[in-house]
Amino acid sequence: MEHFLITRGEGELYELVPLLIIAAGSEEEVTRILTRIRDEGKSLKAYYPEFDSVVPAGEYIGEIEDGALYLV
């Protein structure tokens, strides 16, 4: 997982992976989402209702502390 993120040079995505692990709920789901990121050029977006006025246009992954994580 780290090798994939480092070789893509995606610092922000790398920082969101710990949230993905929380939101996805299983190792299989994390692997599925990371594969989609790689194959479809998608990314992760954290949404915090306290600070963000617009919900990201993407696939809801799950809850994170104080917000939600989306695949965009």
Side-chain angles (χ1 to χ4, degrees), residues 35-55:
T35 300
R36 287 189 64 196
I37 290 169
R38 180 192 66 209
D39 295 347
E40 300 173 21
K42 297 205 177 266
S43 192
L44 297 173
K45 175 74 177 157
Y47 167 71
Y48 298 100
E50 184 176 339
F51 303 109
D52 301 319
S53 59
V54 178
V55 176

Side-chain angles (χ1 to χ4, degrees), residues 11-26:
E12 182 180 334
L13 183 58
Y14 184 81
E15 293 175 6
L16 292 174
V17 167
L19 298 178
L20 174 60
I21 294 167
I22 294 166
S26 73

